[in-house]
Amino acid sequence: MKANVIKVLIVDDHSVVREGYRRLLERTPDIVVVEECGNGEDAYVLVPKVMPDLVIMDINLPGMSGLETLRRLMQKIPKQKILMFSMHEDVVFANRSMQSGAKGY
């Protein structure tokens, strides 16, 4: 893997969404999706193992929510860059995400 490659982990409970993001991201030569998973529990385990440069995570996940996963990951790895996404347009979700440590929503 090239030294300047951005390693991404995608977290979404819908495989078709993960595949779409993967295809979109990998159109850029400097981005590689190193792992993907469908829930917060798996993301919490995978992030320290894979050490991605960026985690792209849905706010709505089965089991441990995206927000809870975000909070726990930021406690475990404070410098981890996490980008949250959601179908919700309510600014409350964006505010909660950013207050919990997300770099973008």
Side-chain angles (χ1 to χ4, degrees):
M1 196 178 306
K2 293 189 290 183
N4 295 335
V5 168
I6 298 168
K7 299 182 300 181
V8 177
L9 182 142
I10 301 171
V11 186
D12 190 280
D13 56 324
H14 298 96
S15 60
V16 70
V17 172
R18 292 194 309 267
E19 179 63 25
Y21 276 121
R22 176 184 288 274
R23 288 179 184 228
L24 195 64
L25 290 168
E26 289 186 341
R27 286 182 182 173
T28 303
D30 295 343
I31 297 176
V32 174
V33 176
V34 291
E35 191 65 71
E36 57 184 65
C37 62
N39 61 62
E41 290 85 355
D42 289 348
Y44 187 75
V45 171
L46 277 173
V47 169
K49 289 181 181 179
V50 177
M51 290 306 293
D53 299 306
L54 176 65
V55 176
I56 300 175
M57 182 164 41
D58 189 3
I59 201 166
N60 292 321
L61 295 171
M64 185 168 38
S65 73
L67 276 174
E68 183 60 25
T69 305
L70 167 66
R71 281 191 278 271
R72 290 184 187 191
L73 283 171
M74 294 312 295
Q75 287 175 349
K76 192 174 200 175
I77 309 167
K79 294 187 182 226
Q80 180 63 60
K81 291 177 178 71
I82 300 175
L83 177 65
M84 300 297 287
F85 67 93
S86 175
M87 64 180 186
H88 299 292
E89 295 179 16
D90 192 334
V91 72
V92 168
F93 294 102
N95 286 340
R96 285 183 188 161
S97 296
M98 299 302 282
Q99 288 170 352
S100 296
K103 300 299 182 198
Y105 181 88

